[in-house]
Structures are given as structure tokens and as C-alpha cells.
Amino acid sequence: DRSRIGDEDFYRLTCFREKDTPMYIYVGSKDFFSRRLRMTMGVPGSRMKYDSRMLNYSMYEGVMIPDESIVHQGSIEQKSKVIYYKLDVELDDKEFRVPLF
């Protein structure tokens, strides 16, 4: 459906998993980029609200990616910004081994 948050217009996708609360994906009505993701997640012993906003997109190696975002998870706010992006990097298989503690 159509949705408005503040002064921004979105298409809102309402997604359901079995026996779970909905997840909402907000797509920009002008550029069709994913702009926001909202849901309530189950964590051991409780539920936690999750809200992720994609603030900026940039072109890296011909691919448009979200490169700046803010996530609110419970009472924690986390900001992230891509500073380097490389597509199809060759990685050694040992990079994917389970760490030993």
C-alpha cells in the first residue's frame, strides 16, 4: 500500500512469516530504492523493535548500493557508512571457517 512518514512517500510492503508479526519494507515512491525496514524481532525471553533506515545510495562498480544507514534496535542506535566496496572479490576458503574459541 502507499504510506507516508514525515514528508516522504513510500510504497509499503507488508511481509509475514509463519506465526510472526509483520515485517514492513518501505520503498521510495520516486526512486524505488528500499528506504526503511521495520519489524519486531524475537530475542530470548522478549521481543525487540527493529527499525533500519537507508539514508543514502551510491554507485560502486556499476551497482547501486545503500552506503549510509541508521539502525535502531531496542534502545541502541547504530550508524554505518560504506567506505570501501569491491564486487566479486576472490576470497580464500579459510576466510569462512568457523572460528575456534
Side-chain angles (χ1 to χ4, degrees):
D1 61 353
R2 294 293 296 251
S3 181
R4 187 170 182 84
I5 300 174
D7 60 349
E8 294 183 81
D9 289 315
F10 300 95
Y11 294 104
R12 183 179 72 174
L13 305 173
T14 304
C15 308
F16 291 92
R17 293 183 293 178
E18 286 184 37
K19 301 177 184 178
D20 210 351
T21 58
M23 172 176 56
Y24 301 101
I25 301 171
Y26 295 83
V27 177
S29 64
K30 294 180 182 169
D31 58 15
F32 302 104
F33 291 150
S34 298
R35 293 292 179 178
R36 194 168 201 156
L37 173 68
R38 287 180 165 172
M39 70 177 125
T40 302
M41 301 185 326
V43 294
S46 69
R47 312 273 304 154
M48 181 182 299
K49 291 190 181 288
Y50 177 89
D51 185 2
S52 174
R53 290 185 303 141
M54 283 57 82
L55 304 176
N56 191 47
Y57 278 76
S58 294
M59 185 76 71
Y60 292 86
E61 295 189 21
V63 177
M64 189 67 76
I65 67 163
D67 69 347
E68 190 173 356
S69 65
I70 296 178
V71 173
H72 288 98
Q73 189 170 348
S75 61
I76 298 171
E77 177 182 278
Q78 181 180 25
K79 297 178 183 180
S80 65
K81 175 135 180 72
V82 173
I83 55 172
Y84 180 75
Y85 180 85
K86 184 73 177 155
L87 188 61
D88 291 333
V89 173
E90 296 230 6
L91 297 171
D92 192 324
D93 287 345
K94 69 181 178 184
E95 296 291 331
F96 298 97
R97 292 189 183 143
V98 177
L100 298 174
F101 296 100

